Amino acid sequence: MKKISRTISQRLTKILVVEDEIIIATNLKEQLETFGYCVGAIATSGEKAVDMATALCPDLVLMDIHLQGEMDGIEAAQLIWERLSIPIIYVTGHSDPSTLERVKVSCPFGYILKPIKERELFIAIDIALHRYAREQLLTAILREMGDGVIFIDDQCRIRFLNGVAQMLTGWQFSEAIERELTEVFQVVDAQERQSVNLPLNLAIQNKFTAAIPSHSVLISRQNIRIPIGGSVTPIRDKTDNLIGTVLVFQDISSSTQLEKAKCDLEQTLTALKTTQFQLIQSEKLSSVGRMATALIQEFNNPITWICGNIVLGRSYFRDMLNLLQLYQQAYPEPTLDIQQLREQIDLEFIAQDWQKMFNSIQMGAERLMDVTLSLQALRNFSTLDELDQKTVDINETIDSTLFLIQHRLKSQGKKAEIQVIKNYSQLPFLRGYASQLHQVFIHLLNNAIDAIELKDLPGLIRIDTNVVHRQVSFPSVGEFVGEFVGEFVGESVGAKHSRPDVSEFYPNPNANASPNPTSNDADGSNFYPNPNANASPNPTSNDADGSNFYPNPNPTSNIKNSSIPNPPTQDVVIIRITDNGCGMNEETQTQLFDPFFTTKPVGTAVGLGLSVSYKIVVEKHGGKIRCHSVEGEGTTFEIELPIISY
């Protein structure tokens, strides 16, 4: 016994004895000193016990329950444990149920009934010290962890939370203990602004760790929002009974900021690539413009000479033939030399073929003149001034674009000619950037031609322009409040439109609709009947304009202002470019206006044409661009440009 006492005395320094009977206290002190323990003091009341424990900081307290003064041993034990975390062993003669229930609340490390037996006292102290050391080690680990840790019982009441959890939640241990988890740990979804249901039941039922939902934000007691991540793990005993649940979570603000910085860098990189592409294209256009100017100068003089001399040459040749005819009439019997030369040069063939020869020369000259006109259009396209908006004639701009790409529309080898149907309405002049609109039309028409070339059928492109009176749409109350709240908290919670909404297109069940807008079709909504109607995929004599083929984009079918008595209207110009090419699936349509997205083989396209077109129409001109496509049947692009009065 003495050997054991010496071993223990090396580990334990002081014990505080709380006993109001002096004889029992003295006897208890002698027993402890026999075991090698140091009794720091003896307290006779609960108040003195708390004061002495605070002053001496003993390693263990032996506590009687019934003491002198107003505070009994159980109340004193609770205060000592909450303030100082010193282990308590009760030494008492009371074991009634009501006393035992009160004792449990103070988390004692032992319970010894009087009269005290030496062996029981030693064993109780030894076990209490070992248990306390083990719990202190676990507490130190949890306290020093970088993650917040909360332990709840099977009733979802908090039994423990470490320092990080206290810091993040804003609740102190003494305040949070015994409270329900939802009262201390309030989590909402960062995007939907609604409470997040922690996967407690899921983790308990499946007996494995469940992750805290993404985009979770912890609202602290001080109403501070902290993005968090973590997990929920059920704790079970050896018999597989649920003891409680451990919630481990961490502040992921830095990770969220890094992710946001990464997204910003990606967007910046995309913008830089787009700018680089535009600069390269601008430089190419400038070079093309200078080359076109030089070629025009080189072509103009020879073409002028040829065209001017054709008229004279035709007149001279005609006069010479008339003179020869007069000679033949005056001298019907030519000399032998004249007759031989006449047969050698085949004068009769020359008299018949000279008109064809001059006609061929004139056709070649006219072709060269067409080339010169194409070069002039190319020069105008590449050298337009883009510093200020200017008056733009949309119909003329489309015609100029068609003139530039006419070589792709003509038949070449086995490839048939692509027919272009132009259905222009009388349009007012718009204010805009002519060369940029040229780019838009070139991208759309080239894409239409590419799609047609993938099908082994006669190609058809239809271009329609008209003026539509549109009601000015206002945001709903929900959208307005969402945008206002988003601006207030620093992030938008309203709808974000990264690309046009193709849901505004609705097929027209009327397959016999007129291809031209009438008084009953002012908005052009009946331009294109349902593509699923029984129409021929190729225009025939009964379908020369292809009106029974194309899908109908009906952008005016959903009006948000139906509840407004007299909603304001705005005049807009609608341009529709429709082809009977291969079409696109829904997945492709969702990515259509994304930068660097392309369905063409690597090296043949950069994937910026439609992205740049979208920016030009939407950002530079305040318009809209939409796409509706039926795979295997065709595609319609609709451009809407506002008519702004200056």
Side-chain angles (χ1 to χ4, degrees):
M1 182 67 68
K2 291 182 178 179
K3 182 178 180 181
I4 297 175
S5 300
R6 286 193 299 270
T7 304
I8 295 176
S9 64
Q10 296 175 0
R11 301 196 303 266
L12 191 62
T13 304
K14 289 179 294 186
I15 294 178
L16 174 63
V17 176
V18 183
E19 175 63 57
D20 59 350
E21 296 185 13
I22 301 301
I23 296 175
I24 296 176
T26 303
N27 186 31
L28 190 56
K29 177 181 178 183
E30 291 175 356
Q31 290 180 0
L32 293 173
E33 290 176 348
T34 301
F35 293 146
Y37 298 116
C38 175
V39 178
I42 296 175
T44 58
S45 67
E47 292 83 359
K48 290 181 179 180
V50 175
D51 293 339
M52 289 182 180
T54 304
L56 298 175
C57 293
D59 299 299
L60 182 69
V61 176
L62 295 178
M63 180 74 71
D64 189 10
I65 293 179
H66 293 284
L67 301 170
Q68 299 175 3
E70 296 181 358
M71 184 184 297
D72 65 2
I74 297 176
E75 295 177 60
Q78 287 179 329
L79 289 175
I80 292 172
W81 176 251
E82 291 176 0
R83 295 179 184 179
L84 306 172
S85 297
I86 297 174
I88 308 292
I89 296 178
Y90 287 106
V91 181
T92 182
H94 302 277
S95 59
D96 56 283
S98 60
T99 301
L100 292 176
E101 287 299 322
R102 290 185 61 209
V103 164
K104 291 178 182 178
V105 179
S106 62
C107 303
F109 280 72
Y111 198 91
I112 302 174
L113 290 174
K114 297 177 181 178
I116 302 170
K117 295 180 182 180
E118 185 177 297
R119 180 74 177 174
E120 292 179 0
L121 179 61
F122 168 74
I123 293 174
I125 292 174
D126 191 32
I127 292 175
L129 293 176
H130 281 84
R131 175 187 164 190
Y132 180 72
R134 186 171 61 252
E135 290 187 3
Q136 286 298 103
L137 175 62
L138 179 59
T139 303
I141 293 173
L142 294 176
R143 183 176 59 251
E144 299 301 327
M145 284 180 61
D147 297 341
V149 179
I150 297 178
F151 176 74
I152 58 175
D153 59 18
D154 55 354
Q155 301 299 321
C156 287
R157 292 189 176 276
I158 295 176
R159 294 299 179 184
F160 173 82
L161 71 166
N162 68 348
V164 176
Q166 296 176 47
M167 179 184 67
L168 294 178
T169 61
W171 287 79
Q172 296 299 317
F173 180 87
S174 59
E175 299 171 325
I177 203 72
E178 295 294 333
R179 292 182 182 269
E180 290 189 0
L181 178 64
T182 54
E183 186 178 353
V184 175
F185 195 76
Q186 298 182 13
V187 182
V188 298
D189 189 282
Q191 297 178 343
E192 299 180 0
R193 312 283 176 177
Q194 297 178 353
S195 297
V196 173
N197 293 322
L198 296 174
L200 297 177
N201 294 331
L202 179 65
I204 293 171
Q205 292 173 2
N206 297 327
K207 300 181 182 181
F208 63 76
T209 301
I212 294 177
S214 57
H215 308 296
S216 295
V217 174
L218 172 65
I219 301 179
S220 71
R221 193 176 186 182
Q222 294 75 28
N223 203 29
I224 299 174
R225 296 174 178 267
I226 305 171
I228 62 168
S231 61
V232 178
T233 305
I235 305 298
R236 298 177 179 272
D237 59 17
K238 294 182 179 180
T239 58
D240 203 33
N241 293 322
L242 181 68
I243 301 174
T245 307
V246 174
L247 178 65
V248 181
F249 59 99
Q250 54 278 143
D251 182 357
I252 60 171
S253 299
S254 58
S255 301
T256 305
Q257 292 173 358
L258 288 175
E259 187 68 24
K260 185 177 183 300
K262 179 182 176 183
C263 293
D264 292 342
L265 286 174
E266 289 177 352
Q267 293 177 359
T268 303
L269 180 60
T270 302
L272 287 174
K273 288 182 178 180
T274 305
T275 303
Q276 181 186 28
F277 173 79
Q278 292 174 338
L279 289 174
I280 293 173
Q281 293 299 105
S282 177
E283 184 60 29
K284 286 182 178 179
L285 286 175
S286 178
S287 300
V288 168
R290 290 193 294 270
M291 182 178 67
T293 302
L295 289 175
I296 290 171
Q297 293 175 352
E298 293 295 328
F299 273 41
N300 276 339
N301 290 336
I303 291 173
T304 303
W305 300 336
I306 293 172
C307 292
N309 290 325
I310 283 176
V311 178
L312 295 176
R314 195 189 296 270
S315 176
Y316 294 163
F317 212 91
R318 185 183 299 109
D319 292 342
M320 291 178 62
L321 286 178
N322 291 335
L323 180 62
L324 287 175
Q325 289 177 359
L326 291 176
Y327 269 107
Q328 288 178 347
Q329 293 174 3
Y331 302 98
E333 296 295 332
T335 63
L336 182 61
D337 293 339
I338 294 175
Q339 189 174 358
Q340 289 178 350
L341 181 60
R342 177 178 177 177
E343 293 176 356
Q344 183 178 352
I345 64 175
D346 197 356
L347 183 61
E348 287 76 8
F349 174 78
I350 292 175
Q352 297 175 359
D353 189 62
W354 74 275
Q355 288 283 8
K356 296 179 181 180
M357 178 187 68
F358 276 101
N359 289 338
S360 297
I361 295 173
Q362 186 170 358
M363 288 178 60
E366 291 175 353
R367 182 66 183 273
L368 287 175
M369 291 178 67
D370 290 339
V371 172
T372 303
L373 292 176
S374 297
L375 289 173
Q376 289 176 351
L378 184 61
R379 180 189 62 184
N380 295 336
F381 169 68
S382 60
T383 58
L384 284 175
D385 185 10
E386 293 296 325
L387 294 178
D388 298 312
Q389 290 188 341
K390 296 183 178 181
T391 301
V392 180
D393 186 335
I394 293 297
N395 293 339
E396 182 181 341
T397 303
I398 296 174
D399 286 337
S400 176
T401 305
L402 288 171
F403 194 81
L404 285 174
I405 63 170
Q406 61 179 336
H407 63 283
R408 297 200 63 190
L409 301 173
K410 296 178 180 179
S411 60
Q412 298 177 4
K414 296 182 179 180
K415 187 181 73 172
E417 181 180 359
I418 297 176
Q419 182 182 2
V420 177
I421 299 175
K422 294 186 290 186
N423 185 22
Y424 292 167
S425 299
Q426 187 68 32
L427 302 179
F429 290 104
L430 301 181
R431 297 286 294 182
Y433 302 99
S435 69
Q436 293 186 8
L437 293 175
H438 264 293
Q439 292 183 49
V440 173
F441 297 139
I442 283 179
H443 289 315
L444 297 182
L445 290 170
N446 277 328
N447 285 340
I449 295 172
D450 292 338
I452 290 172
E453 290 178 348
L454 294 176
K455 291 183 65 176
D456 191 18
L457 291 172
L460 179 65
I461 296 176
R462 173 164 173 160
I463 305 173
D464 301 276
T465 63
N466 66 320
V467 178
V468 175
H469 301 283
R470 288 282 175 86
Q471 292 180 346
V472 178
S473 61
F474 295 96
S476 65
V477 174
E479 291 175 346
F480 175 78
V481 172
E483 292 179 1
F484 175 79
V485 172
E487 293 177 359
F488 181 76
V489 299
E491 58 184 39
S492 176
V493 298
K496 297 179 177 64
H497 302 286
S498 59
R499 57 175 63 89
D501 182 9
V502 299
S503 63
E504 294 187 41
F505 290 87
Y506 296 91
N508 187 346
N510 184 9
N512 297 319
S514 172
N516 300 317
T518 64
S519 59
N520 296 324
D521 186 22
D523 62 353
S525 60
N526 290 327
F527 263 18
Y528 304 101
N530 188 340
N532 297 322
N534 297 325
S536 172
N538 300 316
T540 62
S541 59
N542 296 325
D543 187 22
D545 61 355
S547 62
N548 286 331
F549 170 73
Y550 303 102
N552 174 22
N554 185 11
T556 61
S557 61
N558 290 334
I559 303 298
K560 295 183 179 179
N561 300 319
S562 58
S563 61
I564 301 176
N566 295 308
T569 60
Q570 181 185 31
D571 291 342
V572 296
V573 170
I574 301 294
I575 306 107
R576 293 190 184 99
I577 299 176
T578 308
D579 65 75
N580 65 339
C582 60
M584 295 174 287
N585 56 34
E586 292 184 1
E587 181 180 358
T588 301
Q589 292 182 58
T590 58
Q591 307 176 70
L592 199 59
F593 296 98
D594 291 346
F596 304 104
F597 172 77
T598 180
T599 58
K600 299 175 183 177
V602 178
T604 61
V606 180
L608 283 173
L610 291 177
S611 174
V612 171
S613 299
Y614 179 76
K615 290 181 179 294
I616 291 173
V617 173
V618 176
E619 297 179 8
K620 294 295 184 67
H621 293 83
K624 298 178 182 177
I625 181 170
R626 307 180 183 91
C627 172
H628 177 66
S629 182
V630 179
E631 190 171 10
E633 296 187 11
T635 302
T636 295
F637 279 94
E638 180 184 88
I639 299 172
E640 177 182 314
L641 298 175
I643 301 174
I644 303 175
S645 300
Y646 287 87

mmCIF file of all heavy atoms in Angstrom, residues 38 170 182 209 338 525 623 641:
data_model
loop_
_atom_site.group_PDB
_atom_site.id
_atom_site.type_symbol
_atom_site.label_atom_id
_atom_site.label_comp_id
_atom_site.label_asym_id
_atom_site.label_seq_id
_atom_site.Cartn_x
_atom_site.Cartn_y
_atom_site.Cartn_z
ATOM 1 N N CYS A 38 -1.549 15.206 -0.701
ATOM 2 C CA CYS A 38 -1.395 16.456 0.055
ATOM 3 C C CYS A 38 -2.759 17.111 0.191
ATOM 4 O O CYS A 38 -3.392 17.439 -0.825
ATOM 5 C CB CYS A 38 -0.413 17.389 -0.651
ATOM 6 S SG CYS A 38 -0.272 19.017 0.122
ATOM 7 N N GLY A 170 -20.616 32.111 -31.535
ATOM 8 C CA GLY A 170 -20.817 33.250 -30.649
ATOM 9 C C GLY A 170 -21.437 32.870 -29.319
ATOM 10 O O GLY A 170 -21.810 33.758 -28.532
ATOM 11 N N THR A 182 -30.549 23.611 -32.892
ATOM 12 C CA THR A 182 -31.034 24.640 -33.818
ATOM 13 C C THR A 182 -31.047 26.027 -33.197
ATOM 14 O O THR A 182 -31.056 27.029 -33.918
ATOM 15 C CB THR A 182 -32.458 24.286 -34.287
ATOM 16 O OG1 THR A 182 -33.297 24.077 -33.136
ATOM 17 C CG2 THR A 182 -32.461 23.026 -35.134
ATOM 18 N N THR A 209 -21.064 8.894 -41.887
ATOM 19 C CA THR A 209 -20.889 10.345 -41.868
ATOM 20 C C THR A 209 -21.577 10.990 -43.069
ATOM 21 O O THR A 209 -21.453 10.510 -44.198
ATOM 22 C CB THR A 209 -19.390 10.699 -41.872
ATOM 23 O OG1 THR A 209 -18.780 10.112 -40.719
ATOM 24 C CG2 THR A 209 -19.179 12.192 -41.850
ATOM 25 N N ILE A 338 -5.260 36.609 -153.056
ATOM 26 C CA ILE A 338 -6.353 36.975 -152.146
ATOM 27 C C ILE A 338 -7.199 35.758 -151.808
ATOM 28 O O ILE A 338 -7.613 35.547 -150.656
ATOM 29 C CB ILE A 338 -7.203 38.086 -152.778
ATOM 30 C CG1 ILE A 338 -6.383 39.377 -152.908
ATOM 31 C CG2 ILE A 338 -8.467 38.352 -151.943
ATOM 32 C CD1 ILE A 338 -7.112 40.492 -153.634
ATOM 33 N N SER A 525 -45.696 37.067 -86.088
ATOM 34 C CA SER A 525 -45.662 35.827 -85.326
ATOM 35 C C SER A 525 -46.072 34.626 -86.158
ATOM 36 O O SER A 525 -45.857 33.490 -85.762
ATOM 37 C CB SER A 525 -46.560 35.946 -84.089
ATOM 38 O OG SER A 525 -47.893 36.197 -84.484
ATOM 39 N N GLY A 623 -30.019 45.295 -77.889
ATOM 40 C CA GLY A 623 -31.030 44.432 -78.486
ATOM 41 C C GLY A 623 -31.058 43.046 -77.883
ATOM 42 O O GLY A 623 -30.564 42.805 -76.779
ATOM 43 N N LEU A 641 -33.600 44.677 -82.590
ATOM 44 C CA LEU A 641 -32.876 45.924 -82.372
ATOM 45 C C LEU A 641 -33.873 47.040 -82.084
ATOM 46 O O LEU A 641 -34.831 47.235 -82.850
ATOM 47 C CB LEU A 641 -32.031 46.288 -83.598
ATOM 48 C CG LEU A 641 -30.925 45.295 -83.974
ATOM 49 C CD1 LEU A 641 -30.265 45.716 -85.271
ATOM 50 C CD2 LEU A 641 -29.892 45.189 -82.869
#
